[in-house]
Amino acid sequence: MSAILTNNRRDYTFHARETIPLKQDAFWLIKKGVVKTFTWDVEGTATILGYWGDGDIIGQPLSRANPYQIQCLTQVKAAYIPLNQWSKLSAEICRYIQQTEELLCIVRSEKMYERLRRMLIWLGNKFGRQVVEGKLIELPLTHQELADVMGTTRVTVTRLINQLEQEGLISRPRRNSILVRSFYFN
């Protein structure tokens, strides 16, 4: 982690898989990169609370989950924003609430196939790069991480990803990337 002071805010750079420190009295504004927030139960089973990227706000003051952790999926540049400046972040806080509700709707889908399909579309819309064939998601997400966010097993996610690929709805052009076909985004 390295820090730079800009516009009365401290900007920090974190590396992939690094944990962003929690502050009871501050938010983190993601300027560049992707993080996940998560918790776990007494057995150690993870529950992913969300994936956040450019322009999103995260932090302990927004969650009642305990334990709570923020982990970088890519290199991340984030601004440290004291809690007393929350009123300047109303648009970001609204976006946080909306995204949380979107994810809740996805994980409450009845059929696991539909849950995964909707999750991949959501990831494509949020983090995907537009290419001719659709949206290319280039994140180091494991099948286990997708299973954790969707409340299922890694084996089920692997089986369903293979099914979606056989049906031509997605492709995996290289490691750590999924292409969601463009007809989902029309």
Side-chain angles (χ1 to χ4, degrees), residues 31-181:
K31 291 183 153 188
K32 185 166 177 49
V34 179
V35 302
K36 70 177 178 179
T37 54
F38 65 100
T39 188
W40 55 92
D41 62 21
V42 292
E43 288 87 30
T45 304
T47 300
I48 295 177
L49 302 171
Y51 293 101
W52 314 94
D54 301 2
D56 288 333
I57 188 167
I58 54 172
Q60 187 71 56
L62 294 169
S63 178
R64 292 218 174 172
N66 186 18
Y68 176 82
Q69 196 165 46
I70 305 167
Q71 184 181 46
C72 301
L73 296 180
T74 64
Q75 183 168 330
V76 171
K77 183 178 179 182
Y80 175 86
I81 302 174
L83 192 58
N84 63 6
Q85 294 182 16
W86 73 270
S87 62
K88 298 176 185 173
L89 300 170
S90 59
E92 291 83 359
I93 291 171
C94 286
R95 217 172 28 252
Y96 181 92
I97 294 166
Q98 292 164 347
Q99 180 175 318
T100 301
E101 288 180 353
E102 286 175 341
L103 288 172
L104 182 59
C105 289
I106 290 168
V107 300
R108 295 298 300 157
S109 298
E110 282 295 316
K111 298 192 184 298
M112 200 55 65
Y113 176 92
E114 182 65 12
R115 199 177 295 180
L116 177 60
R117 188 186 71 77
R118 290 179 66 193
M119 177 58 66
L120 292 174
I121 292 167
W122 183 86
L123 287 167
N125 282 326
K126 178 110 177 123
F127 302 110
R129 179 171 50 90
Q130 187 68 50
V131 295
V132 173
E133 302 90 354
K135 296 225 178 151
L136 184 62
I137 306 164
E138 297 175 296
L139 293 174
L141 295 174
T142 66
H143 290 190
Q144 184 62 56
E145 287 173 320
L146 288 170
D148 290 344
V149 78
M150 295 179 356
T152 190
T153 65
R154 182 200 53 78
V155 172
T156 298
V157 167
T158 299
R159 179 180 54 79
L160 291 173
I161 283 178
N162 289 336
Q163 181 181 344
L164 287 166
E165 192 170 24
Q166 288 170 357
E167 293 171 357
L169 303 176
I170 66 168
S171 65
R172 295 181 283 179
R174 62 188 163 280
R175 185 172 167 81
N176 292 328
S177 67
I178 296 177
L179 174 68
V180 182
R181 300 289 179 199

